Amino acid sequence: MLSRTADHLYWMSRYTERAENLARMLQVDTHWALLPREVGELDRSWEATLSMVGQLDTYRERYGEISADQVIRFLAFDEDNPASIVSNLNMARENARAVRGTLTFDQWEIINSTWLELKLRSFDHLQGDALTGFFEWVKLRSHLSRGATIGTMMRDEGFDFKRIGTFLERADNTARILDVQFRMLAPDGVTSSNEADYYRYRALLESVSAYEIYRKVYRDRITPARIAELMILRADMPRSLHRCAEGLVQHLQAVANDQSGETLRQVGELHASMHYTRIDLILEDGLHAFLRDFLDRINGLGRRIAQDFLVSVTA
Amino acid sequence: MMQSNTAAATPPNVAYNEMQDGRGQTRQHYRQLQDWLSEMPNERLTQKRDDADTLFRRMGITFAVYGENAGAERLIPFDIVPRIITAVEWRRLSRGLTQRVNALNSFLSDIYHEQEILKAGRIPAEHVLCNVQYRPEMQDIEVPGDVYAHIAGVDVVRADEGEFFVLEDNLRVPSGVSYMLEDRNVMMRLFPELFARYAVEPIEHYPDILLDNLRSVAPAEVLEPTVVLLTPGAYNSAYFEHAFLAQQMGIELVEGKDLMVRDGFVFMLTTRGPQPVHVIYRRIDDDFLDPLAFRQDSALGVPGLLAAYRAGHVTIANAIGTGVADDKSIYPYVPEMIRFYLDEEPILNNVPTRILRNPDDLAYTLEHLSELVVKEVHGAGGYGMLIGPKASKEQLERFREQIKANPGRYIAQPTLALSTCPTFVDEGIAPRHVDLRPFVLSGSDVHIVPGGLTRVALREGSLVVNSSQGGGTKDTWVLET
């Protein structure tokens, strides 16, 4: 497969996944904004989301004060903000367009119709419930896009690079969500929790489609430690860090070439470290430190994947 | 996209009506369609047309528009009334096209080798050798199968009593075939019942024939040739077509930066390292193919490609330098080429053409300017053209001065009454002027899928079918019997 084609497929998946996760985060934020809370607390949760996507400074420069409407407008609909949902979906479509001959008809039609429908939606038309509906829509379009990939795409290298993009982006996003939310909810580690926090933990689980799974797995009250375990270590939890690492190993092995040995070693090591640890060990050293280290390794992998496969190999 | 000019003008009432004869009777092959149309209320047709638009848009069948609103994507209007050509008409047309393209390939081979036709004095040598489309780099280069124009998109119109006239030969990078294929696809989705009434020749196998054709002209020593389609990229107006054809043929769609030349061989850069490439179906003009050989500022091409080509390690389709055969100043000599190389009389008509560098032709043209169509030799897309009968006094005078200042840049032709076909427009079904671009594939053999792209001038009385100027497309049916 052409390196350029692989690159477009990989980024098409990354941007789609990124849009979905941002929609998930904003959905939680708008939900939380409705719950009773102390003054200033609300701002902190919007700030957390802004910083999670690396846009807090830009936002402050442009708008100063935090306001819910402004943050949503900026993160969801602003075409001048490269990190917004709209920009991510535009980029996904741009990448798809560049390799549309490699996509199945279903894949192309879904990503193209998402892009066409997106033009009909703007913040000014979407208030209250409709806004939640928009975030749901983004999530569903991402499900559709991924479903078309899994359901219609030949299992060749193109498929592997699409999946690599999905897992790498999801690993990054899940780790960021956990890091930011836990720092807000349990700044002293994940030991404390009170009744009021219940709703927030529940919202956190829902944001990664994990609430029902949590119930099924633990059949017990929600605790931060169990959430961390579920979202980091459970290999059967589709959005967990462990599952993402597993997916990366599988698909990177499938596309291995002469120069990708070190990349495979690193991803294998990352996977093993998920497989052979326990949540109490992670919490002992600090969740934040663990997640930072994880994010560094994911970023490193991203750079290696680009070098090994995606920039034109002229060697 | 689909660059070419279409002549010309006379009042529409003398144009050949493809559906109705002179007494207003519907011709035999249009009767079923006529019945079907009369059963369809206008609202239903409107609904179907909207459905078609939605399909095209959803499939992303759009073309980029240069200039206005960069990055904009537009639909080419699609007319839901098919154009019907009888088996008898098609047999004559396809024989004529085959003859013509064979002669043009012979001409290109001759021009880049012995130049017998020039020595015989049948074409003035300076018309060819001083033409900017003549590529000295191609002199005495052997190309596989002696084929230069692997893909030709010949523009044909019907005039007078429905006879076929060739307007242009388009031997460089003709486009439009994806619209031919998608128009059929959409028609079959929307009107399956119509296909039950007519036995229509299939065209869907075009990509298979194209791929066979391209493989057949690979360098001789290659047993399993790798074919790629070279595109200028996603922002080119015909990008949809490039992606579509690559996908339909199952070949890689490459940009210049995906290819490299090493030791005189061409490779594409893949996730598993460089892989050899043997045939390049290029959709990039000669000028941009190789910055080392042609335009140095081209970022679209592949450095060293010309050298690899000249060494015979890769086939480029169409060959470099085919533009010398489809140039408007060479066009008047195509009938002579047919006689010279094939020793046959031309089956299809040429439009009588005056070359204004000849003093007699110039004098005649200046005298009859208001009756003629004047075209720029290197113009394309319907720009730089004068339609005498439709021009104002000022336009005529302005053109007269331009012609006098630089006669070599122009040719003149009589105005042709393009035939009309029934077309669904605001006021219902009405005749509109059409042309036809069949695609002629030359490899070890010549193949033409029955039909081609019909372009239709949607504005009443308009003769300009270019998509850049309000033209649309129609599905084209060649009947099996």
Side-chain angles (χ1 to χ4, degrees):
Chain A
M1 160 163 287
L2 287 181
S3 296
R4 185 176 53 82
T5 305
D7 187 61
H8 286 301
L9 291 170
Y10 167 85
W11 280 105
M12 181 184 154
S13 286
R14 288 198 68 166
Y15 284 119
T16 306
E17 183 71 24
R18 200 177 284 179
E20 175 187 337
N21 286 316
L22 185 50
R24 288 172 174 278
M25 286 183 254
L26 290 174
Q27 201 173 10
V28 177
D29 287 338
T30 41
H31 185 64
W32 286 15
L34 304 173
L35 295 176
R37 53 174 62 220
E38 290 161 31
V39 180
E41 205 184 350
L42 193 57
D43 285 5
R44 279 203 302 283
S45 85
W46 290 119
E47 273 176 25
T49 303
L50 282 165
S51 63
M52 201 156 63
V53 293
Q55 295 296 312
L56 182 58
D57 293 345
T58 315
Y59 179 91
R60 285 242 182 262
E61 257 168 53
R62 278 168 62 173
Y63 306 106
E65 289 295 290
I66 298 280
S67 91
D69 278 5
Q70 196 58 261
V71 174
I72 291 169
R73 198 186 283 268
F74 178 69
L75 286 183
F77 299 98
D78 188 347
E79 296 209 34
D80 296 328
N81 172 12
S84 71
I85 290 176
V86 169
S87 294
N88 278 312
L89 291 177
N90 285 342
M91 289 302 292
R93 197 258 185 181
E94 276 299 287
N95 277 283
R97 188 170 131 77
V99 291
R100 60 169 293 172
T102 317
L103 302 174
T104 63
F105 178 77
D106 297 34
Q107 282 180 304
W108 166 253
E109 194 171 84
I110 285 164
I111 205 147
N112 194 45
S113 58
T114 300
W115 179 76
L116 291 168
E117 286 173 41
L118 187 63
K119 291 177 176 307
L120 306 175
R121 294 162 198 261
S122 77
F123 182 74
D124 299 321
H125 300 121
L126 299 167
Q127 298 299 329
D129 287 353
L131 201 53
T132 311
F134 174 74
F135 297 136
E136 276 297 318
W137 177 79
V138 173
K139 226 165 72 180
L140 288 176
R141 298 307 298 188
S142 176
H143 289 325
L144 262 183
S145 174
R146 199 167 35 244
T149 295
I150 290 169
T152 67
M153 196 176 185
M154 186 175 163
R155 296 304 189 257
D156 63 0
E157 272 187 285
F159 180 77
D160 290 315
F161 282 106
K162 283 216 82 212
R163 299 300 285 157
I164 289 168
T166 300
F167 283 123
L168 197 78
E169 189 66 31
R170 186 181 293 168
D172 172 280
N173 294 177
T174 301
R176 282 170 192 258
I177 293 176
L178 293 176
D179 191 28
V180 165
Q181 300 297 354
F182 274 113
R183 265 191 294 163
M184 233 178 9
L185 285 166
D188 54 339
V190 284
T191 47
S192 78
S193 71
N194 58 47
E195 286 301 310
D197 287 338
Y198 169 81
Y199 293 102
R200 295 170 202 177
Y201 283 120
R202 179 176 168 156
L204 167 59
L205 283 169
E206 282 173 343
S207 80
V208 287
S209 301
Y211 179 68
E212 292 86 356
I213 295 177
Y214 184 99
R215 286 296 179 208
K216 195 168 172 173
V217 169
Y218 296 104
R219 301 179 184 284
D220 202 345
R221 53 190 279 272
I222 296 174
T223 70
R226 286 190 187 124
I227 294 179
E229 183 183 55
L230 182 68
M231 293 314 304
I232 295 171
L233 296 183
R234 290 287 301 209
D236 49 6
M237 169 65 209
R239 309 191 78 77
S240 76
L241 304 189
H242 188 168
R243 172 62 196 125
C244 292
E246 196 175 76
L248 285 172
V249 168
Q250 180 197 343
H251 293 287
L252 280 168
Q253 265 167 359
V255 298
N257 66 17
D258 294 347
Q259 51 183 0
S260 66
E262 174 58 17
T263 306
L264 269 181
R265 190 194 68 72
Q266 289 188 13
V267 74
E269 190 179 54
L270 182 70
H271 178 230
S273 75
M274 301 282 125
H275 195 70
Y276 294 110
T277 187
R278 294 196 316 259
I279 193 63
D280 53 311
L281 296 176
I282 292 174
L283 296 180
E284 218 171 273
D285 293 340
L287 186 59
H288 178 60
F290 174 85
L291 291 171
R292 289 318 309 176
D293 176 61
F294 180 86
L295 281 168
D296 285 347
R297 291 162 81 172
I298 284 293
N299 285 338
L301 273 176
R303 278 194 302 276
R304 296 204 62 91
I305 290 167
Q307 276 165 19
D308 289 351
F309 304 102
L310 308 180
V311 294
S312 301
V313 191
T314 47
Chain B
M1 57 129 342
M2 285 181 274
Q3 292 167 349
S4 89
N5 303 333
T6 287
T10 27
N13 58 349
V14 303
Y16 179 75
N17 185 319
E18 296 193 14
M19 181 161 83
Q20 288 177 345
D21 64 21
R23 290 163 299 143
Q25 298 295 308
T26 301
R27 296 177 201 277
Q28 178 66 38
H29 59 286
Y30 265 99
R31 283 192 192 148
Q32 294 273 359
L33 180 69
Q34 172 89 312
D35 291 348
W36 178 80
L37 280 173
S38 62
E39 294 160 17
M40 290 278 268
N42 270 1
E43 305 78 69
R44 181 100 198 288
L45 288 174
T46 306
Q47 179 59 44
K48 288 286 187 183
R49 184 179 55 195
D50 293 348
D51 290 350
D53 278 0
T54 308
L55 278 174
F56 279 111
R57 208 174 277 286
R58 287 176 69 101
M59 292 190 281
I61 305 177
T62 55
F63 72 103
V65 185
Y66 296 124
E68 63 178 71
N69 196 359
E73 292 168 29
R74 278 212 321 230
L75 286 179
I76 296 182
F78 170 68
D79 180 56
I80 56 177
V81 184
R83 175 197 203 168
I84 303 173
I85 295 173
T86 65
V88 173
E89 290 168 336
W90 175 254
R91 265 198 296 279
R92 179 175 174 81
L93 179 57
S94 69
R95 276 197 305 126
L97 290 167
T98 304
Q99 176 194 55
R100 193 164 171 109
V101 171
N102 277 337
L104 286 162
N105 269 313
S106 300
F107 170 73
L108 283 161
S109 172
D110 183 27
I111 284 304
Y112 289 122
H113 290 89
E114 304 302 322
Q115 305 183 340
E116 301 289 356
I117 198 164
L118 305 184
K119 288 175 191 158
R122 310 284 278 269
I123 300 178
E126 74 273 13
H127 274 24
V128 174
L129 304 179
C130 302
N131 192 307
V132 291
Q133 297 297 330
Y134 169 78
R135 300 283 178 184
E137 297 87 347
M138 290 297 293
Q139 195 61 48
D140 298 318
I141 300 298
E142 301 307 320
V143 299
D146 215 19
V147 177
Y148 287 76
H150 308 84
I151 299 107
V154 182
D155 287 342
V156 177
V157 298
R158 304 184 69 174
D160 298 346
E161 284 311 301
E163 289 134 52
F164 291 108
F165 285 79
V166 173
L167 282 185
E168 269 183 26
D169 292 295
N170 297 310
L171 306 177
R172 299 171 216 190
V173 286
S175 62
V177 76
S178 59
Y179 296 93
M180 171 184 89
L181 295 168
E182 288 294 23
D183 285 358
R184 173 63 54 85
N185 184 13
V186 166
M187 281 301 281
M188 293 189 80
R189 276 215 213 182
L190 291 181
F191 305 110
E193 72 276 18
L194 252 185
F195 287 87
R197 299 194 189 193
Y198 279 101
V200 180
E201 291 270 12
I203 55 171
E204 294 82 349
H205 54 302
Y206 177 86
D208 300 325
I209 300 179
L210 177 58
L211 182 59
D212 282 351
N213 185 59
L214 291 167
R215 290 166 62 97
S216 78
V217 292
E221 69 279 9
V222 183
L223 294 178
E224 272 302 312
T226 298
V227 182
V228 298
L229 194 158
L230 176 61
T231 174
Y235 296 99
N236 182 267
S237 63
Y239 178 73
F240 159 73
E241 173 157 309
H242 307 161
F244 175 85
L245 287 175
Q247 182 177 41
Q248 295 294 309
M249 290 190 281
I251 64 174
E252 291 286 358
L253 176 66
V254 303
E255 297 179 18
K257 61 187 179 226
D258 297 321
L259 298 180
M260 67 161 186
V261 177
R262 194 203 287 158
D263 303 329
F265 288 85
V266 181
F267 297 88
M268 59 180 164
L269 305 171
T270 79
T271 54
R272 296 183 192 277
Q275 306 287 331
V277 167
H278 309 105
V279 181
I280 300 176
Y281 173 27
R282 52 81 172 242
R283 297 294 297 258
I284 294 180
D285 290 335
D286 287 356
D287 276 340
F288 298 97
L289 274 178
D290 180 350
L292 298 182
F294 304 112
R295 278 179 62 156
Q296 289 165 21
D297 60 342
S298 169
L300 304 175
V302 186
L305 182 58
L306 179 69
Y309 180 55
R310 287 172 54 101
H313 296 154
V314 67
T315 302
I316 297 177
N318 289 352
I320 293 170
T322 53
V324 71
D326 72 4
D327 190 78
K328 290 194 185 75
S329 67
I330 299 298
Y331 164 89
Y333 300 104
V334 176
E336 203 50 35
M337 292 177 198
I338 293 170
R339 294 183 194 105
F340 185 77
Y341 297 112
L342 308 179
D343 199 19
E344 294 171 12
E345 275 305 304
I347 298 169
L348 303 176
N349 302 301
N350 238 34
V351 182
T353 303
R354 295 175 187 273
I355 302 168
L356 303 197
R357 65 193 296 164
N358 301 337
D360 292 353
D361 287 340
L362 176 63
Y364 177 90
T365 300
L366 292 176
E367 209 165 300
H368 297 86
L369 202 54
S370 64
E371 301 155 28
L372 297 170
V373 175
V374 182
K375 295 177 182 174
E376 249 184 282
V377 172
H378 303 300
Y383 300 102
M385 157 165 125
L386 174 83
I387 300 178
K390 300 221 159 173
S392 67
K393 265 216 163 75
E394 294 75 44
Q395 283 170 322
L396 286 172
E397 285 319 302
R398 204 167 46 237
F399 237 83
R400 187 186 303 278
E401 293 313 309
Q402 285 174 22
I403 293 168
K404 280 189 196 156
N406 203 342
R409 275 179 60 182
Y410 299 94
I411 57 161
Q413 295 171 335
T415 53
L416 287 185
L418 305 196
S419 61
T420 64
C421 282
T423 301
F424 183 54
V425 292
D426 289 342
E427 56 268 37
I429 303 288
R432 290 291 183 268
H433 297 287
V434 294
D435 79 348
L436 178 66
R437 178 177 288 183
F439 294 88
V440 184
L441 300 177
S442 306
S444 47
D445 259 319
V446 175
H447 288 280
I448 313 172
V449 297
L453 178 68
T454 290
R455 300 185 298 179
V456 52
L458 295 171
R459 278 196 298 271
E460 188 172 5
S462 170
L463 294 155
V464 183
V465 297
N466 303 76
S467 53
S468 56
Q469 298 188 42
T473 70
K474 278 171 169 294
D475 191 14
T476 309
W477 292 5
V478 172
L479 301 184
E480 284 179 355
T481 50

